[in-house]
Amino acid sequence: MNQAFLNQINQSLIQSIKAKYSMDDAKVLAVSEAGKASIINSLKSFVIKNGTTEIEAVLLNKRSFNGTALQKFCFQNFEKDIADKRILSVEQTNEVAEFSINYLIDQFKTGFNESSNSRDLDGICKFLDIDKKLLNLVNSPVGKILGKFFK
């Protein structure tokens, strides 16, 4: 993925979490690092297992992120990653994970919409710096069957 873009939204997330939850710098940075790794791994895993249809619909504003399988998948992984590191209490882990995932996806959508990239899979690939040939393989029937083995 585009590292400059990820760093930009990560810094924005750090400031938002710090302001919203009044956390000290060490906790905010620990949550941020867990979140950055978690969202990237979640998106990659989700695409490998399910293809890009849902992500495309969310980024192209054809479908709300709320209530999607993508949201549930990202939230569960992020919540687990924070809980595994024992950074926050159980209650705060849930709240911070939900806020962070929704915030990050909103940032992805805003960044994509403000970019000059085309509003299709080509534009999404260019924006996220993802190889379209690899995505075409993942989206193929054979790729989806293979992706089911990674569940």
Side-chain angles (χ1 to χ4, degrees):
M1 288 195 172
N2 183 324
Q3 286 302 313
F5 176 70
L6 288 174
N7 289 337
Q8 175 188 343
I9 64 172
N10 188 45
Q11 290 303 313
S12 178
L13 177 62
I14 287 170
Q15 292 172 2
S16 295
I17 289 173
K18 191 172 183 176
K20 184 172 176 80
Y21 298 103
S22 302
M23 288 185 197
D24 62 42
D25 290 341
K27 271 190 180 179
V28 172
L29 290 175
V31 169
S32 169
E33 285 304 310
K36 189 164 82 171
S38 183
I39 191 75
I40 292 168
N41 292 333
S42 292
L43 290 174
K44 287 178 182 178
S45 294
F46 189 85
V47 167
I48 288 171
K49 293 175 188 173
N50 303 294
T52 60
T53 305
E54 191 162 304
I55 291 173
E56 287 177 65
V58 169
L59 284 179
L60 297 173
N61 291 318
K62 294 179 180 177
R63 183 170 186 193
S64 170
F65 180 62
N66 292 331
T68 62
L70 174 62
Q71 182 187 38
K72 182 178 178 183
F73 186 78
C74 290
F75 172 73
Q76 288 173 338
N77 288 336
F78 188 47
E79 185 178 43
K80 181 183 178 306
D81 290 342
I82 293 174
D84 287 351
K85 293 184 182 350
R86 299 171 197 226
I87 302 168
L88 306 171
S89 68
V90 173
E91 301 81 30
Q92 201 171 29
T93 295
N94 185 300
E95 187 178 336
V96 170
E98 183 176 4
F99 170 78
S100 298
I101 291 300
N102 290 329
Y103 183 88
L104 289 169
I105 293 299
D106 282 344
Q107 292 298 305
F108 272 89
K109 286 173 56 177
T110 300
F112 178 70
N113 288 326
E114 291 176 355
S115 75
S116 61
N117 295 305
S118 60
R119 301 297 178 247
D120 55 17
L121 185 57
D122 289 336
I124 292 171
C125 289
K126 187 174 180 183
F127 177 71
L128 296 176
D129 197 22
I130 298 172
D131 184 357
K132 186 175 178 204
K133 291 177 186 173
L134 179 63
L135 282 184
N136 285 335
L137 177 65
V138 168
N139 284 332
S140 73
V142 173
K144 287 182 182 176
I145 289 170
L146 292 174
K148 300 299 179 195
F149 291 114
F150 291 102
K151 283 189 176 180

